[in-house]
Amino acid sequence: MKATPDTKILKKRPQVPRLIPSACLDCGSEAGYREQEVTREVEFRGEDFSVSYACFVCPDCGSATLSDEQMAARMRRTVEAYQERHGLLKGSEVATRRKALGYATQSALVEACPVISGATLKRLEAGTHAQDRSTDVLIRKCFEDLEAKRLNEDIAALLKEYNPSHAIFAEVSQCIAGESKMSFDRFEFQSVIEIEENTIRTRFKTMGGVTPQTEFAYAS
């Protein structure tokens, strides 16, 4: 579009790093600020949290100031404290579970589970956002469904490699199809597939013991 005298051109204001002054802003001490770790009360969403974080402190009067990086780090620790108090998934936990499922990028997970907002996932994993309870339940359900689907696919692929006429394979196949329930102790293979049994047993236990689709009752 060709600019005209009446056209307003909006330019984004560049972000300028916050500079730490050489003298204390409160007492004027020329000693300046020294970086140190402090633990103080931080208010977040109407609640107080005891948070440890790095900041610059005046050695004379004790007043403190923070750089941009320190402010961001304090926010992440405060958000984590909030999530821990309320039993919500932390951003690091979300990222770990996403990668464990094989989704290298956030967009890949959003594509597999569209109910999760890409913007929410980005802020959550960055540690700058604390989700509400309903969003947390939604994310957990998404992970559980994807983990169950992956486990079912792994078991189904394994069963194809062996004799499908074996009674235990038929029983497991019915569980995968959602036609019955079984105790995981009944999921016993002969010596020829002991390694595969241990692998699935470990995977199954790691994923929480019970999946919505197979409804295995883990009993060890």
Side-chain angles (χ1 to χ4, degrees), residues 199-219:
T199 299
I200 291 180
R201 196 179 276 273
T202 301
R203 281 280 307 284
F204 184 81
K205 189 172 183 179
T206 301
M207 289 184 175
V210 177
T211 65
Q213 295 179 18
T214 60
E215 296 185 283
F216 285 169
Y218 181 78

Side-chain angles (χ1 to χ4, degrees), residues 29-40:
S29 172
E30 296 295 333
Y33 292 93
R34 298 176 184 175
E35 186 173 16
Q36 68 180 60
E37 189 86 3
V38 299
T39 300
R40 297 182 179 176

Side-chain angles (χ1 to χ4, degrees), residues 45-150:
R45 293 187 179 178
E47 301 180 38
D48 292 327
F49 298 89
S50 180
V51 180
S52 297
Y53 57 92
C55 64
F56 289 99
V57 180
C58 173
D60 291 336
C61 70
S63 66
T65 186
L66 291 84
S67 65
D68 292 339
E69 294 77 10
Q70 291 170 340
M71 291 181 67
R74 184 179 66 173
M75 173 57 73
R76 288 193 295 269
R77 293 188 180 184
T78 304
V79 167
E80 276 202 358
Y82 179 90
Q83 292 168 325
E84 184 173 350
R85 177 180 294 180
H86 291 275
L88 305 173
L89 285 172
K90 298 179 182 178
S92 57
E93 295 172 334
V94 172
T96 297
R97 293 183 70 171
R98 169 177 62 79
K99 294 174 183 177
L101 282 167
Y103 299 102
T105 63
Q106 296 171 353
S107 58
L109 176 61
V110 172
E111 184 177 351
C113 193
V115 294
I116 299 180
S117 163
T120 297
L121 183 62
K122 181 178 180 179
R123 291 187 298 154
L124 185 58
E125 290 195 6
T128 59
H129 172 71
Q131 70 277 33
D132 57 27
R133 178 66 61 184
S134 60
T135 301
D136 189 76
V137 170
L138 193 66
I139 294 174
R140 289 178 186 272
K141 181 64 166 57
C142 177
F143 279 134
E144 289 171 0
D145 289 347
L146 292 174
E147 287 165 352
K149 179 181 178 181
R150 179 178 175 184

